[in-house]
Amino acid sequence: MHMTTFKKSISALAVATSLGLAIPAYADNTTANITGAITANDYSQYAVTATNPKTGVSRNVSVSDSGSFRFSQLPTGQYDITITKNGALVAKDTARITLGSNASLEFNFLTDEGTEVIEVTSARISAVDVTSTDSGLVIGELDVDRMPISRNITAIAMLAPGTVEGENNFSSPNSGGLASFGGASVAENSCYINGMEVTNTSQGLGCGSVPFEFYKEFQVKTGGYSAQFGRTTGGVLNAVTKSGSNDWEFAATALFTPKSLREDGGISYTAGGANGPSVFRNQSMDEYSKFEYTVSASGPIIEDTLFIYALVNPRDIDNNFGFQSSGRQQYALDDNYVKRSSSGSDNLFWGAKVDWIITDDHKLSLFTYSDRSDTVSETFLFDADNGVIGDSVQNTIRARGGELKSLTYKGYITDDLTVSAMYGEIETEYTNTPSNLDCPTVLDNRQVPASQLITSCGSGGTTGENTDNNKQLRIDVEYAFEDHLVRVGYDKQERETFHTTAPITGHAWTYATLAPNGSIQGTAGNLYTNNTGAAQDYVFDRVFVGGGGFTTELNAWYIEDEWQVTDDLRLNLGVRQDEFENSGVTGLVFSSFKTDVAPRLGFSWDPTGEGESKFYGTFGRYYLPVPNNTNYRAASGISDITTYYTFTGSDSTGAATGTNPITGNLGSSQVVNSVPNPAIQATFQSEEAEPFSKNELILGYETSLTDEFSLSLRAIYREVASALDDYCGPFASQATCTLLNPGSEGTWQLDNDFDSAPDPGSRRTYTADELGLPEAENEYTALQTQFNYVGDNSRMTMIYTWSRSVGNFEGAVKSDIGQRDPGITQDFDFPALMDGASGYQANDRRHVFKLFGSYDVTDDLTVGFNSTLASGRPLSAFGQGYPSNDARIYGSYGDTYYLYTNQCPDNNGNGACDVEEKVYEFSPRGSKGRTPWTFKLDLSANYSFNVNDLDMRATLNIYNVLNSQSVTSQNEHYEARRAEGIYSPSYGAAYSWQAPRYVEVGFEARF
């Protein structure tokens, strides 16, 4: 007789997918492995076969001299495992593997006396996987269906430990936010579908996606990931889609989110001002409705050989919301109402995956989709105080989405050697085409009666084209020998962007007031001081125009060894090196980096040898490439000039009239932030500069408490090892600023005559003291506790994370002011902007509790729940001035941590207000309290039934059941835009709240 057992150290799919467990390290993007061992007298007599019963695909491997066997890089699913001895069947079992989660089997053919036996027994399955060293979760489509999870990738990420929702500034209204991993900004993550990276390559904000019906499994990597993954200092969102099998299957789904079942949003107000309290944000009239359905078909084109899964997804979406015509959310009130709609062929997704099993050892997969959509966005005037929608002022066509195609080869060359290769291309568009080109952007920030406020005749904005194209090539080789599994790989991306922009009418006007003795800072120091003895109105016009086509090339190689040192100790030893090269519109390289060889190290130790517990840890360094947004800002020919004027009035469009340069001279009244001549490397990049990188250390412990309960504890520490940002002070090249590592010395040349060539004799090394920038600091510390429960009819996960995120900058983007310019935010532009910057960061949420799961009431009815309780984030108060007008310290723009009190005692008796006599209130980062705690409870019910031999399912999801609407973000700008000493009445007013209660109703039919 034979005995077959699952090795106790391996998690079953039912456990892993239900509970967000730590996922095993060093599995690739799209597959998993089955490993095992037999105990017998003569291993040469045995062979092992793994067969996928749905596709009929089989692989045969021999047993090694030590009794081990391995099936590498298998598509996820269930496999029949058979053991033969001299061709005769002696054992059979099943193994189920999920995305990145391996399975291990153990077969024993000996009695205590050493004679072969055939008795069958089974060991229980442990919830601890001692092969795992990285952190995150794996979740499949069945578990998504069981619980109330919004159908977007952020909602999946938010189930993982250590993730929090970022600011709403970086996403469209009513579309949900983006996820912050381990304290990182929301622009530092990467996303993959079927091995293709689908991250937004221009800014890193968001990812491409497919309908949830198309997804098979999700993998969220929150830390400790292998050397195969790079170009991210946050987290990894990885997914695979469904494939066809030998059975033809058809499905139709419908999902309806009615606006009639959505509660009203919140309203916030300004604090007084010339017109008394006014509505700052009015979300009470926001409306969102969505109706979508999918039709899918899957099956064999040629049985056992060629399979297809295809899906079509028409979508009908209406999204209506209050907005601001000026685009400056920190200072502008809601004065526009936007109605966006897309449906029919203008919002149609289609996709397919074709798998060709050439032989059992060679496979080709084609994956392609199109998610192009054209949305009509109509803008109306909006009286937010009275909730009255006025006349239409503009139509805009928003072209979004694109097309993806990839081809993947998998070859099992021998039992021990596996080769995979992938080539793909993804095109994405982000272009807006407005109809009204006669009305400029206008913001009136003065405290004057409403009848005197100057407004645009339309909604303003910009025109231009914005498209991305990302070509990708990847090759991976895996070889197993003795106790080692070695992987080597190379991957390459060519990211092309075409991005142009121009303000409508060529101007963008901002009307402001300068307090007595208030100053406007220029590039060479003080540009203008109001010495009139009274408040002075003025206007400035920012002309930001230019762009073109540019490219970033990314190359990387890695090697790693998964070494089973002993039965109870496993080491994962890997290194990775990346190269980043950015080119401008002229084709010249302006930024180039070759990283240090980055370690990716991990261990897992089973202290008892029983597979019931483990200690594990990882150390890794991760690098973030320079995004294409930097190419756009620095090397695409952007001209960015702001001119300050006095004025006498305005015309019917809102443009200023009677303008005169505020200093009396046009040249001295202008601030030139960039010129149309593209940057070159010698002037744009410090010779000593290192790319943005983070170090991460994780230590953890997991154990099975009972057959149903498991516990994990984890400690995480992350720190920025090298920060890369642009410096714009007087020592920088004045054409475009200069990239450097803050707090370190740097060597570069200048292009101060703006001809895209180094000025002769300008090469110089600047010391850290000369530059005056502090060293970049960003630290994340966290302790995570996780309980998992799996019973016969229920599944539940509870996670508590204590974390602290502290430093003087957030990372790639800047959430507290809503700046989405990764790598070139205002941080470190001038030393003054970093004075007071140290403190708790925008994604610091000290306490986060997560509880989610499902319960089978009957065989046909399942209820689910998903809840989060989180503490608020820190708040600051930003000013527009600084107690120094030294150009080496404070430049021509930026939000400071100093608030001018409008006091200027004449201490030196010269009858003037000198800058050193002005009295400021120092207001360091995070010193103004926190936003409120937030609580969210979502509930769902799923009922399965049969109609005329059709398998049907009805779903009901209710999000935010209690309609909790705590403030999630609020205005932190204490002073009005470029108006030192002028209080902004909108300071402290809420930008956004938790999404109000809404309902989703779904139906599904399969046959």
Side-chain angles (χ1 to χ4, degrees):
M1 77 187 156
H2 78 268
M3 177 170 62
T4 175
T5 64
F6 275 106
K7 189 175 180 181
K8 292 182 180 180
S9 63
I10 303 303
S11 304
L13 174 68
V15 178
T17 60
S18 298
L19 298 176
L21 297 175
I23 48 181
Y26 302 98
D28 73 5
N29 290 19
T30 61
T31 62
N33 307 316
I34 297 177
T35 60
I38 70 171
T39 303
N41 287 323
D42 184 357
Y43 297 126
S44 64
Q45 301 178 33
Y46 292 86
V48 188
T49 302
T51 303
N52 186 324
K54 287 193 173 183
T55 62
V57 176
S58 293
R59 282 187 58 206
N60 301 292
V61 298
S62 57
V63 178
S64 71
D65 293 341
S66 62
S68 64
F69 61 87
R70 178 183 186 83
F71 297 95
S72 63
Q73 299 187 27
L74 295 174
T76 61
Q78 182 168 302
Y79 289 83
D80 294 332
I81 309 298
T82 57
I83 309 291
T84 58
K85 179 181 179 182
N86 295 323
L89 178 67
V90 294
K92 183 177 180 179
D93 215 320
T94 60
R96 191 173 183 92
I97 53 176
T98 63
L99 179 61
S101 286
N102 305 321
S104 183
L105 302 170
E106 193 172 273
F107 296 85
N108 191 336
F109 298 105
L110 296 178
T111 64
D112 292 340
E113 292 78 22
T115 353
E116 294 192 1
V117 296
I118 56 172
E119 179 183 357
V120 180
T121 63
S122 293
R124 74 178 180 86
I125 299 168
S126 172
V128 176
D129 179 358
V130 298
T131 69
S132 168
T133 61
D134 61 350
S135 307
L137 75 89
V138 175
I139 187 168
E141 56 160 334
L142 294 179
D143 298 284
V144 172
D145 290 340
R146 286 190 185 114
M147 296 186 293
I149 301 174
S150 296
R151 298 202 161 223
N152 60 72
I153 198 70
T154 297
I156 298 295
M158 289 298 295
L159 297 175
T163 58
V164 300
E165 189 169 348
E167 288 292 300
N168 292 338
N169 297 326
F170 304 118
S171 56
S172 299
N174 299 318
S175 64
L178 302 173
S180 165
F181 287 72
S185 77
V186 296
E188 298 173 43
N189 307 321
S190 61
C191 316
Y192 298 83
I193 302 177
N194 290 339
M196 273 284 292
E197 184 172 2
V198 294
T199 316
N200 174 317
T201 55
S202 284
Q203 297 175 303
L205 296 169
C207 344
S209 63
V210 302
F212 266 48
E213 174 64 20
F214 203 168
Y215 287 117
K216 181 181 180 182
E217 289 173 349
F218 300 92
Q219 183 184 46
V220 183
K221 293 175 176 285
T222 59
Y225 31 90
S226 95
Q228 297 180 69
F229 293 91
R231 307 185 185 115
T232 172
T233 49
V236 177
L237 299 164
N238 184 33
V240 293
T241 64
K242 296 175 183 175
S243 298
S245 68
N246 273 331
D247 296 320
W248 278 105
E249 297 179 352
F250 302 90
T253 70
L255 185 68
F256 183 37
T257 306
K259 61 185 177 182
S260 60
L261 296 180
R262 183 184 181 93
E263 297 294 330
D264 293 340
I267 301 176
S268 62
Y269 296 86
T270 63
N275 301 296
S278 301
V279 169
F280 180 61
R281 293 290 178 268
N282 186 343
Q283 295 182 6
S284 66
M285 297 176 62
D286 285 12
E287 296 179 331
Y288 182 85
S289 66
K290 181 177 183 178
F291 176 70
E292 63 174 326
Y293 61 90
T294 66
V295 177
S296 61
S298 66
I301 300 174
I302 302 174
E303 190 170 346
D304 293 341
T305 302
L306 190 62
F307 309 93
I308 187 172
Y309 182 96
L311 179 142
V312 177
N313 173 218
R315 299 164 292 192
D316 187 351
I317 300 175
D318 289 317
N319 188 12
N320 308 327
F321 51 89
F323 206 60
Q324 312 88 48
S325 62
S326 76
R328 287 285 175 180
Q329 68 158 8
Q330 301 95 330
Y331 311 99
L333 312 182
D334 277 356
D335 59 354
N336 279 174
Y337 191 81
V338 179
K339 295 183 178 181
R340 291 180 182 168
S341 63
S342 56
S343 60
S345 60
D346 290 334
N347 194 6
L348 174 68
F349 175 96
W350 60 262
K353 187 170 186 288
V354 179
D355 297 298
W356 179 22
I357 312 302
I358 304 170
T359 69
D360 284 346
D361 294 328
H362 300 278
K363 174 185 174 182
L364 276 177
S365 295
L366 173 67
F367 172 52
T368 182
Y369 73 71
S370 171
D371 67 345
R372 291 188 178 275
S373 67
D374 289 335
T375 299
V376 178
S377 182
E378 186 172 8
T379 303
F380 300 81
L381 298 177
F382 183 38
D383 180 354
D385 287 337
N386 297 304
V388 176
I389 301 173
D391 295 335
S392 174
V393 293
Q394 182 163 283
N395 283 320
T396 301
I397 302 299
R398 293 166 50 86
R400 294 293 186 269
E403 295 179 353
L404 177 149
K405 47 187 176 290
S406 69
L407 186 66
T408 302
Y409 164 76
K410 187 82 67 177
Y412 308 103
I413 311 303
T414 69
D415 289 354
D416 301 318
L417 178 63
T418 304
V419 176
S420 61
M422 185 274 292
Y423 176 79
E425 181 176 356
I426 178 171
E427 299 176 349
T428 313
E429 186 169 10
Y430 313 93
T431 298
N432 297 333
T433 305
S435 62
N436 184 342
L437 302 180
D438 300 322
C439 302
T441 298
V442 175
L443 169 64
D444 194 342
N445 214 30
R446 300 173 300 157
Q447 293 303 304
V448 297
S451 60
Q452 299 178 23
L453 289 171
I454 299 171
T455 59
S456 174
C457 61
S459 59
T462 62
T463 63
E465 185 177 344
N466 189 359
T467 59
D468 285 340
N469 183 288
N470 188 356
K471 298 176 182 177
Q472 305 175 31
L473 171 67
R474 183 180 184 100
I475 300 173
D476 299 272
V477 178
E478 176 181 292
Y479 182 67
F481 66 97
E482 296 180 348
D483 296 320
H484 298 269
L485 178 66
V486 177
R487 296 184 184 90
V488 296
Y490 168 81
D491 75 281
K492 176 184 178 68
Q493 290 189 19
E494 185 176 294
R495 299 177 171 182
E496 298 175 343
T497 297
F498 188 86
H499 191 179
T500 61
T501 189
I504 291 177
T505 75
H507 301 277
W509 301 95
T510 299
Y511 298 88
T513 301
L514 198 59
N517 299 315
S519 298
I520 300 173
Q521 195 75 359
T523 54
N526 185 41
L527 184 148
Y528 176 78
T529 298
N530 176 18
N531 294 319
T532 65
Q536 180 183 10
D537 289 349
Y538 71 102
V539 66
F540 58 91
D541 177 23
R542 185 184 184 188
V543 180
F544 186 97
V545 61
F550 37 85
T551 303
T552 296
E553 291 192 3
L554 310 175
N555 297 276
W557 63 264
Y558 75 90
I559 182 170
E560 59 190 13
D561 179 15
E562 186 178 326
W563 179 18
Q564 192 71 47
V565 183
T566 69
D567 289 344
D568 303 323
L569 177 63
R570 175 181 298 237
L571 298 180
N572 296 317
L573 310 174
V575 293
R576 178 186 174 96
Q577 187 171 53
D578 285 89
E579 293 184 47
F580 313 136
E581 185 175 274
N582 296 61
S583 302
V585 292
T586 61
L588 296 177
V589 173
F590 73 92
S591 173
S592 179
F593 295 98
K594 186 175 184 178
T595 71
D596 294 335
V597 175
R600 304 289 180 85
L601 310 175
F603 78 91
S604 176
W605 174 51
D606 179 357
T608 65
E610 297 296 323
E612 302 297 331
S613 61
K614 70 172 181 180
F615 291 96
Y616 67 98
T618 59
F619 174 78
R621 171 168 288 188
Y622 311 106
Y623 285 94
L624 192 70
V626 175
N628 276 22
N629 181 72
T630 301
N631 304 44
Y632 165 64
R633 292 296 303 269
S636 70
I638 289 289
S639 174
D640 184 7
I641 300 174
T642 300
T643 308
Y644 294 85
Y645 302 95
T646 59
F647 69 100
T648 59
S650 63
D651 63 19
S652 60
T653 70
T657 58
T659 57
N660 285 293
I662 198 166
T663 65
N665 177 275
L666 183 62
S668 63
S669 298
Q670 288 184 329
V671 171
V672 179
N673 288 322
S674 67
V675 296
N677 302 82
I680 57 174
Q681 187 171 353
T683 63
F684 184 69
Q685 178 184 325
S686 166
E687 296 174 13
E688 296 85 352
E690 297 289 338
F692 186 91
S693 66
K694 284 186 177 181
N695 293 331
E696 178 191 67
L697 175 65
I698 298 177
L699 295 174
Y701 173 72
E702 292 185 17
T703 185
S704 293
L705 302 175
T706 67
D707 288 352
E708 293 83 17
F709 283 98
S710 63
L711 166 69
S712 66
L713 303 171
R714 188 181 300 118
I716 301 107
Y717 177 76
R718 283 185 169 193
E719 66 171 358
V720 167
S722 58
L724 183 71
D725 216 314
D726 63 327
Y727 161 70
C728 301
F731 297 125
S733 178
Q734 293 305 295
T736 53
C737 305
T738 300
L739 278 182
L740 50 68
N741 299 131
S744 301
E745 70 174 24
T747 303
W748 59 83
Q749 301 181 62
L750 304 177
D751 179 19
N752 290 350
D753 58 2
F754 307 149
D755 63 353
S756 293
D759 298 341
S762 64
R763 183 179 181 275
R764 185 189 154 190
T765 299
Y766 301 90
T767 67
D769 288 341
E770 281 182 292
L771 298 173
L773 295 175
E775 183 178 353
E777 297 177 352
N778 183 298
E779 295 182 357
Y780 174 82
T781 307
L783 297 174
Q784 296 172 0
T785 303
Q786 181 170 332
F787 287 95
N788 303 306
Y789 172 79
V790 177
D792 292 337
N793 300 313
S794 59
R795 300 142 293 272
M796 183 180 68
T797 294
M798 183 178 71
I799 303 170
Y800 167 65
T801 301
W802 175 94
S803 64
R804 187 187 72 159
S805 183
V806 65
N808 58 10
F809 82 115
E810 178 182 354
V813 293
K814 191 169 173 58
S815 297
D816 47 17
I817 66 170
Q819 189 175 9
R820 52 171 65 210
D821 282 321
I824 53 171
T825 66
Q826 71 166 32
D827 287 337
F828 302 106
D829 285 3
F830 309 105
L833 304 184
M834 306 308 296
D835 185 359
S838 293
Y840 296 122
Q841 292 297 309
N843 294 312
D844 178 78
R845 295 186 181 273
R846 194 60 46 85
H847 307 281
V848 178
F849 299 84
K850 299 179 181 181
L851 179 66
F852 55 88
S854 60
Y855 174 68
D856 300 328
V857 181
T858 68
D859 290 343
D860 298 322
L861 177 62
T862 298
V863 295
F865 58 93
N866 182 13
S867 60
T868 302
L869 174 66
S871 58
R873 73 162 186 83
L875 295 170
S876 303
F878 294 113
Q880 299 292 296
Y882 189 73
S884 171
N885 57 16
D886 186 339
R888 294 172 298 177
I889 300 174
Y890 183 38
S892 57
Y893 58 84
D895 301 300
T896 71
Y897 297 91
Y898 285 83
L899 312 176
Y900 181 38
T901 65
N902 289 298
Q903 300 176 40
C904 189
D906 187 11
N907 295 324
N908 59 18
N910 66 354
C913 175
D914 299 325
V915 65
E916 62 270 14
E917 296 175 312
K918 296 168 76 171
V919 179
Y920 291 86
E921 175 189 343
F922 180 48
S923 177
R925 180 193 297 275
S927 60
K928 300 303 179 182
R930 288 180 177 257
T931 58
W933 283 64
T934 59
F935 176 70
K936 180 197 70 170
L937 172 63
D938 305 332
L939 297 176
S940 66
N942 299 270
Y943 181 67
S944 300
F945 55 100
N946 188 277
V947 177
N948 295 329
D949 294 327
L950 292 181
D951 292 328
M952 305 285 290
R953 187 167 66 95
T955 65
L956 175 66
N957 295 328
I958 306 176
Y959 298 98
N960 194 2
V961 171
L962 302 179
N963 198 29
S964 304
Q965 293 196 41
S966 295
V967 172
T968 56
S969 64
Q970 62 190 64
N971 192 348
E972 298 177 67
H973 285 76
Y974 187 87
E975 292 182 340
R977 177 164 165 76
R978 297 190 181 178
E980 182 188 43
I982 300 297
Y983 171 71
S984 174
S986 58
Y987 169 71
Y991 287 136
S992 60
W993 300 259
Q994 294 175 261
R997 179 172 56 236
Y998 68 99
V999 176
E1000 284 180 349
V1001 180
F1003 295 94
E1004 178 182 302
R1006 298 186 180 276
F1007 53 96

